[in-house]
């Protein structure tokens, strides 16, 4: 029934659009970088003097339906010189527009202010488009540019702790964010146990975060969407860039395969912690052979088949490898993990008003843990693999009216947390070794429509379905957990199916030229879950599907905001309030310890809710730029089987979260930047009493998350030296000097209890101690590139 409702809504929208567009002509094309010929995502094309217009889609395409005659267009994009273009039309016209990139950050900020007032005019709430030039201007740990770390400086986005690359958005967990790289879902976003993200800044073209009023084209997560697009590659000339940092280096090359028709980009990165540490671990050391490193590679090819067709092929491959060797105890540990993705996309322009993209995606995430001591071996494995096919259509019936619709199909294969081992000739095999399969499908339609000068709506609905399917063996067990009977499901035979409608609505009402009110409501389903037994996003966390035991998560989010631009668009300000309910939340039962049982048997289920307000002030142009963000928020959980059924603060509950970011263009050579962050301490569960029972020291714990660590605060500084360009030199370079945690604040990472003395001698002492990771950390990075 839900699918028929969706089809009827789509037919009504298309019929209305066709009827209203009969007497108009259409201008369509792409907006590109004039030097590299890369398409520009979200470029603005506006009718001069009218304020009506359109933004390019994710592939740089636009379509405007106009009355016959002469029109003057203003074409602009952040970091590019705007153009004023006159077009005369008495029939449909196809025309591409090229914009020239500006040469410096200060110019970029001036140009960005000349755009139409998107902060006030757009209907979308909680959307942040992050140019890589801004990301690269900020100080970061070990000099490694990281878009996820920059997003953590924005209101409504928090981090799990010191150095962690995971993000928590408006009270949601790390699994409740849909993170995509060229349409491929990225399940593990961190290197070095989360201290660096998997995204190489040199390969990234555009980063967009949506944390309120998720459009209907996105689904499968409750909290946010992080949509990252890779560069397409320069179609005009060959170029290289890279950087040498304190613990890692990177290198990228791009250029034309066929000039103005096909191009490529390849980008790689590797740490050399293992290489730097090796001279200090001699062969006589007990730890000889231990080491850690990570590496990743991005590659992409794009081909303009014709004016109406374009093909893209892109991929990512990354691995972390950790080896620990203790020769004195014959004890070895190896932990490899990583992501692999492959995306193929085909763009086709069916007509001046209809654009389509079809995408096929393969992605794979694997984690493995191995331990060996003498004749004993232990192995833990988990992972997830997806095969995805989807198609999306953009239809432009009128200027200021855009309809988007599409469908997607995903086959999931889950490898559960499988534990196996060996002792001499005895082999231990788990009870949960079978794979789990699921099929996820979705249909959606959304309409972005200017209903007048003041009111704009983005309304949509998404139908989603998720089925656990065979091959699968479902067991019946007795009270002791012993299997007594089973049911066998054939390949693709449904075991359990869930489905539902997800309505989405955002609205904008302008109060004047420089201010507006926005509101949003959205319902979301989430069918796959990351279950964690720790406070951070470690690769040991397990992805599990919705099954006959595990129900989907579901949320409703309500948002309301006031937006205002000041000083001729020099400042952008906003206040957003939100309230979110979350059903079907998952945690491990009290007293859980890893075992060979199916992890589903260890879960308990409850609900959560969060609410708060976000304040944001962003200075967009001038020699001094930056922003101030502050979030006041509450996040709660309530489980019948945890904490005696009483509510408790979630582990990522942060009452106060403040960030201050500044970039100062001192002169043509020097650029200074700094960030300051302050956050209330993480919620934590601690032992409140210690007593001796039968000679064993026993702990009695508090209610869940009833205590707080010390507040977290840190100051980072950086200075970038860019030598004046010489016409004779073919290479450009810059030096980045960074200081992480400038005043060496010892922020808490975790607490442990140290025991001294003996209860039998009456001198037992138990003392809480804090572990901190990073004191002050200076770093130097040299970045280079060809002109």
């Amino acid at each position: 029934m839900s699918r028929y409702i969706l089809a009827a809504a789509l037919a009504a929208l298309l019929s209305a659009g066709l009827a209203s567009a009969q007497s108009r002509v259409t201008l369509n094309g792409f907006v590109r970088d004039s030097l590299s010929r890369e398409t520009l995502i979200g470029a603005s094309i506006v009718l001069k003097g009218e304020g009506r217009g359109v933004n390019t889609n994710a592939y740089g395409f636009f379509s405007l339906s106009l009355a016959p005659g002469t029109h003057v267009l203003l074409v602009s994009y952040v970091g590019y010189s705007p153009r004023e273009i006159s077009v005369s039309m008495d029939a449909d016209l196809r025309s591409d527009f090229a914009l020239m990139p500006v040469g410096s950050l200060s110019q970029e900020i001036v140009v960005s202010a000349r755009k139409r007032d998107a902060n006030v005019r757009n209907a979308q709430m909680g959307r942040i488009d992050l140019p890589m030039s801004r990301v690269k201007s900020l100080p970061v740990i070990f000099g490694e540019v990281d878009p996820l770390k920059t997003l953590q400086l924005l209101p409504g986005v928090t981090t799990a702790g010191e150095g962690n690359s995971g993000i928590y958005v408006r009270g949601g967990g790390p699994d409740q964010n849909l993170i995509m790289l060229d349409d491929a879902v990225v399940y593990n976003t961190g290197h070095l146990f989360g201290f660096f993200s998997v995204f190489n800044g040199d390969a990234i073209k555009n980063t967009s975060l949506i944390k309120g009023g998720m459009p209907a084209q996105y689904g499968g997560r409750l909290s946010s969407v992080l949509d990252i697009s890779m560069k397409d590659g320069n179609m005009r000339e060959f170029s290289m860039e890279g950087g040498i940092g304190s613990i890692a280096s990177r290198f990228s090359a791009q250029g034309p395969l066929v000039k103005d028709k096909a191009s490529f980009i390849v980008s790689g990165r590797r740490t050399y912690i293992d290489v730097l540490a090796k001279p200090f671990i001699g062969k006589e050391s007990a730890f000889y052979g231990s080491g850690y490193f990570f590496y990743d590679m991005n590659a992409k090819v794009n081909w303009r088949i014709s004016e109406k067709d374009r093909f893209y092929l892109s991929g990512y491959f990354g691995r972390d490898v950790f080896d620990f060797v203790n020769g004195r105890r014959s004890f070895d540990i190896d932990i490899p993990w990583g992501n692999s993705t492959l995306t193929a996309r085909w763009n086709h322009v069916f007509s001046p008003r209809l654009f389509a993209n079809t995408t096929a995606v393969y992605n794979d995430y694997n984690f493995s843990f191995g331990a060996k001591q003498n004749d004993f071996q232990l192995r833990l494995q988990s992972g997830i693999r997806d095969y995805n096919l989807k198609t999306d259509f953009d239809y432009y019936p009128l200027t200021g009216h855009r309809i988007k619709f599409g469908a997607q199909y995903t086959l999931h294969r889950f490898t559960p947390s499988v534990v196996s081992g060996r002792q001499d000739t005895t082999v231990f095999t788990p009870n949960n070794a079978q794979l789990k399969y699921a099929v996820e499908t979705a249909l959606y339609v959304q309409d972005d429509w200017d209903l007048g000068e003041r009111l704009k709506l983005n309304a949509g609905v998404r139908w989603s379905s998720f089925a656990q399917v065979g091959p699968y063996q479902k067991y019946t067990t007795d009270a002791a957990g012993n299997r007594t009977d089973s049911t066998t499901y054939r390949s693709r035979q449904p075991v359990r199916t869930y489905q539902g409608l997800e309505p989405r609505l955002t609205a904008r009402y302008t109060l004047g030229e420089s201010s507006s009110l926005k509101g949003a409501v959205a319902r979301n389903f989430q069918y796959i879950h990351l279950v964690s037994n720790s406070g951070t996003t470690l690769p040991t966390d397990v992805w599990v599907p919705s099954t006959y035991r595990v129900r989907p998560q579901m949320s409703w989010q309500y948002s309301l905001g006031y937006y205002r631009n000041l000083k001729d668009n020099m400042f952008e300000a906003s206040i957003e309030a939100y309230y979110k309910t979350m059903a079907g939340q998952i945690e491990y039962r009290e007293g859980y310890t890893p075992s060979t049982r199916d992890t589903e048997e260890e879960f308990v289920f409850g609900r959560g809710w969060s609410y708060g307000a976000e304040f944001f002030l962003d200075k967009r142009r001038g020699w001094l730029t930056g922003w101030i963000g502050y979030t006041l928020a509450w996040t709660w959980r309530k489980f019948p089987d945890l904490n005696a059924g009483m509510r408790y603060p979630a582990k990522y509950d942060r009452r106060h979260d403040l960030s201050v970011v500044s970039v100062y263009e001192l002169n043509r050579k020097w650029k200074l930047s700094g960030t300051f962050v302050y956050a209330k301490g993480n919620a934590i569960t601690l032992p409140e009493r210690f007593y001796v029972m039968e000679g064993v020291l026993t702990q009695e714990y508090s209610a869940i998350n009833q205590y707080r660590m010390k507040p977290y605060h840190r100051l980072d500084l950086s200075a970038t030296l860019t030598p004046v360009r010489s016409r004779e030199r073919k290479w450009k370079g810059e030096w980045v000097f960074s200081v992480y945690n400038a005043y060496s604040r010892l922020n808490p990472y975790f607490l442990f209890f140290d025991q001294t003395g003996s209860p039998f001698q009456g001198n037992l002492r138990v003392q809480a101690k804090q572990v901190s990771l990073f004191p002050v950390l200076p770093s130097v990075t040299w970045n280079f590139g060809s002109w």
Side-chain angles (χ1 to χ4, degrees):
M1 185 66 181
S2 301
R3 285 172 287 183
Y4 297 120
I5 294 173
L6 194 65
L10 176 59
L13 287 172
L14 293 177
S15 299
L18 288 170
S20 60
Q22 295 297 320
S23 61
R24 293 178 173 265
V25 293
T26 302
L27 171 68
N28 75 98
F30 293 83
V31 179
R32 305 180 187 277
D33 183 302
S34 63
L35 301 181
S36 68
R37 306 301 292 170
E38 287 235 16
T39 57
L40 301 180
I41 301 171
S44 175
I45 304 97
V46 178
L47 290 166
K48 185 178 181 180
E50 298 184 34
R52 296 183 299 120
V54 69
N55 292 332
T56 57
N57 68 8
Y59 302 94
F61 178 81
F62 73 92
S63 177
L64 281 168
S65 292
L66 306 168
T70 300
H71 303 273
V72 178
L73 304 176
L74 299 177
V75 184
S76 60
Y77 186 68
V78 175
Y80 289 75
S81 298
R83 291 183 61 190
E84 187 173 298
I85 301 170
S86 178
V87 292
S88 297
M89 300 178 59
D90 54 14
D92 291 346
L93 175 66
R94 186 194 182 283
S95 181
D96 292 349
F97 301 139
L99 297 181
M100 176 70 72
V102 297
S104 68
L105 182 62
S106 60
Q107 289 174 301
E108 174 177 318
I109 295 170
V110 172
V111 170
S112 69
R114 297 173 190 161
K115 287 183 62 182
R116 189 185 175 194
D117 200 349
N119 178 54
V120 173
R121 294 288 178 178
N122 286 345
Q124 182 64 57
M125 286 193 70
R127 181 184 179 106
I128 299 166
D129 292 307
L130 194 63
M132 286 307 300
S133 57
R134 260 196 158 183
V135 176
K136 293 180 178 181
S137 299
L138 304 180
V140 288
I141 186 170
F142 297 124
E144 286 298 302
V145 172
D146 194 335
L148 287 190
K149 293 285 175 46
T150 304
L151 290 173
Q152 292 170 0
L153 299 172
L154 297 167
V157 183
T158 60
T159 175
E162 180 78 87
N164 201 285
S165 64
I167 58 174
Y168 300 80
V169 179
R170 292 186 171 179
D175 65 320
Q176 295 177 356
N177 307 302
L178 178 62
I179 301 177
M180 299 186 298
L181 178 65
D182 270 5
D183 282 333
V185 175
V186 179
Y187 287 103
N188 179 62
T189 60
H191 285 306
L192 190 56
F193 298 97
F195 290 106
F196 302 104
S197 83
V198 300
F199 304 112
N200 183 347
D202 289 346
I204 293 174
K205 174 181 179 179
N206 189 74
T207 301
S208 295
L209 174 71
I210 302 173
K211 54 189 173 74
M214 191 184 298
Q217 72 193 81
Y218 299 110
R221 300 294 188 274
L222 300 189
S223 291
S224 74
V225 176
L226 180 59
D227 197 347
I228 299 176
S229 301
M230 287 173 52
K231 293 177 180 177
D232 298 332
N234 194 317
M235 281 198 169
R236 289 286 176 87
E237 58 185 24
F238 182 80
S239 64
M240 294 181 290
E241 64 178 322
I244 300 174
S246 303
I247 65 168
S249 292
R250 62 191 191 279
F251 179 78
S252 299
Q254 59 178 315
L257 295 171
V258 179
K259 191 171 183 180
D260 289 333
K261 192 171 183 68
S263 65
F264 78 95
I265 180 171
V266 178
S267 186
R269 179 174 56 160
R270 192 195 190 279
T271 57
Y272 29 74
I273 302 173
D274 55 330
V275 178
L276 295 176
K278 191 173 182 178
F280 301 98
I281 306 176
K283 291 185 178 181
E284 69 282 356
S285 171
F287 303 105
Y288 180 76
S290 299
Y292 168 83
F293 65 92
F294 73 77
Y295 62 91
D296 51 33
M297 185 182 76
N298 299 78
K300 189 171 186 177
V301 174
N302 85 94
W303 177 30
R304 290 181 62 190
I305 303 171
S306 67
E307 287 190 350
K308 292 187 175 182
D309 296 277
R310 189 163 184 167
F311 178 77
Y312 300 85
L313 183 65
S314 60
Y316 167 85
F317 181 83
R319 282 292 180 270
D320 289 66
V321 180
F322 173 72
D323 294 300
F324 174 79
V325 178
N326 188 325
R328 291 173 183 165
R329 299 187 179 183
S330 301
F331 181 59
D332 298 344
I333 292 176
D334 66 283
I335 311 177
W337 73 94
N339 299 282
S340 304
T341 72
L342 182 66
T343 304
R345 293 182 289 186
W346 170 47
N347 294 169
H348 180 68
V349 181
F350 282 95
S351 74
R353 297 192 183 97
L354 184 61
F355 176 93
N357 176 70
T358 300
T359 303
V361 176
Y362 164 85
N363 58 358
D364 182 63
Y365 167 66
N366 276 296
F367 168 80
S368 179
F369 172 90
K372 181 174 68 173
Q373 186 170 25
N374 297 323
D375 295 327
F376 176 76
Q377 297 179 21
L378 176 70
R379 174 66 59 182
L380 169 66
Q381 291 179 304
S382 65
I384 179 171
R385 179 178 296 174
D386 291 345
Y387 302 90
N388 174 273
L389 182 65
K390 70 171 187 172
T391 185
D392 302 281
F393 294 86
D394 290 306
Y395 177 59
Y396 303 81
L398 290 170
T399 299
H401 189 187
R402 176 185 172 190
I403 300 169
K404 191 174 183 69
F405 57 95
Q408 71 176 54
Y409 172 92
T410 305
L411 173 63
H412 300 284
R413 191 193 78 168
F414 295 86
T415 303
S417 184
V418 179
V419 181
S420 60
R422 176 190 294 270
Q423 176 69 54
D424 293 327
T425 59
T426 304
V427 177
F428 307 98
T429 57
N431 291 327
N432 63 339
Q434 62 176 327
L435 302 177
K436 295 179 183 178
Y437 296 89
V439 172
E440 186 172 0
T441 55
L443 303 171
Y444 76 90
V445 58
Q446 67 186 36
D447 192 358
D448 194 21
W449 200 346
D450 281 312
L451 296 177
E453 281 296 315
R454 292 187 177 273
L455 183 61
K456 183 174 185 176
L457 295 179
N458 186 308
V461 62
R462 181 184 182 90
W463 171 80
S464 60
S465 171
F466 188 93
Q468 180 192 4
V469 298
Y472 185 71
Q473 197 88 5
K474 186 167 119 178
Y475 295 99
T476 303
T477 59
D478 58 22
N482 299 311
R483 295 172 176 174
T484 59
D485 198 3
S486 66
T487 303
T488 301
Y489 294 87
R490 301 183 309 275
S491 178
R492 303 297 184 269
Q493 181 181 0
V495 180
R496 180 64 189 270
T497 301
Y498 302 95
Q499 63 175 330
L501 282 177
E502 305 174 46
R504 317 280 176 84
L505 175 67
T506 62
R508 178 228 69 204
Y509 184 80
T510 57
L511 303 175
E513 289 295 321
S514 59
S515 62
S516 65
L517 288 173
K518 299 181 187 180
V521 59
R523 187 191 197 203
N524 293 70
F525 283 104
Q526 179 167 330
Y527 299 104
I528 63 176
H529 325 276
L530 182 68
V531 186
S532 172
N533 195 35
S534 62
T536 57
T537 309
L538 297 177
T540 50
D541 299 343
V542 180
W543 285 97
V544 297
S546 295
T547 64
Y548 69 96
R549 285 195 187 105
V550 181
R551 295 182 61 84
Q553 302 178 56
M554 190 274 287
S555 74
W556 281 98
Q557 183 175 183
Y558 310 88
S559 307
L560 182 66
Y562 174 71
Y563 301 77
R564 185 175 182 85
N565 282 13
L566 307 166
K567 295 284 186 180
D568 192 26
N569 297 332
M570 179 181 289
F571 294 91
E572 294 182 358
S574 65
I575 302 173
E576 291 188 20
Y578 67 91
Y579 181 83
K580 180 165 64 175
T581 61
M582 295 167 281
Q585 302 301 285
I586 305 175
E587 294 285 357
Y588 283 109
R589 62 173 175 81
E590 286 186 345
Y592 163 76
T593 55
S595 70
T596 58
R597 298 175 63 189
D598 191 330
T599 53
E600 290 183 6
E601 300 176 29
E602 310 288 352
F603 297 159
V604 293
F605 306 93
R607 63 188 180 94
W609 63 99
S610 62
Y611 49 90
E614 300 165 1
F615 303 84
F616 190 52
L617 178 64
D618 188 9
K619 189 173 185 292
R620 301 291 300 178
R621 72 173 192 262
W623 293 105
L624 177 64
T625 60
W627 67 83
I628 300 174
Y630 171 71
T631 304
L632 175 67
W634 291 259
T635 303
W636 301 98
R637 294 291 184 267
K638 189 173 184 180
F639 285 70
D641 298 314
L642 295 178
N643 207 47
M646 303 295 290
R647 75 171 189 178
Y648 60 90
K651 58 191 173 188
Y652 25 81
D653 172 65
R654 291 277 184 87
R655 192 74 65 250
H656 306 284
D657 201 303
L658 171 71
S659 60
V660 181
V661 177
S662 62
V663 179
Y664 182 66
E665 196 86 13
L666 185 63
N667 52 44
R668 293 180 62 190
K669 289 185 177 182
W670 285 97
K671 178 172 58 184
L672 310 177
S673 64
T675 63
F676 174 77
V677 294
Y678 173 90
K680 188 173 182 178
N682 284 345
I684 188 174
T685 305
L686 294 175
E688 293 182 320
R689 297 176 183 86
F690 295 85
Y691 51 90
V692 178
M693 180 178 293
E694 297 181 355
V696 178
L697 183 65
T698 306
Q699 304 173 3
E700 182 178 322
Y701 280 85
S702 69
I704 296 177
N705 293 339
Q706 292 304 296
Y707 291 93
R708 295 276 176 176
M709 290 188 179
K710 293 179 181 179
Y712 182 98
H713 52 88
R714 190 188 76 242
L715 174 68
D716 304 332
L717 302 171
S718 77
T720 303
L721 171 62
T722 307
V724 178
R725 176 183 176 182
S726 171
R727 294 183 179 180
E728 290 77 23
R729 297 177 61 185
K730 295 183 179 181
W731 293 88
K732 59 182 177 180
E734 67 176 18
W735 290 91
V736 181
F737 307 92
S738 296
V739 180
Y740 181 87
N741 196 7
Y743 54 85
S744 199
R745 160 75 174 179
L746 296 180
N747 288 300
Y749 189 61
F750 65 85
L751 302 179
F752 73 96
F753 285 83
D754 184 46
Q755 175 185 339
T756 58
S758 169
F760 305 105
Q761 298 177 3
N763 61 352
L764 175 66
R765 185 184 180 191
V766 180
Q767 183 179 11
K769 292 189 176 182
Q770 172 183 302
V771 174
S772 301
L773 286 182
F774 299 124
V776 56
L777 287 176
S779 63
V780 179
T781 303
W782 178 58
N783 297 319
F784 61 88
S786 57
W787 291 108

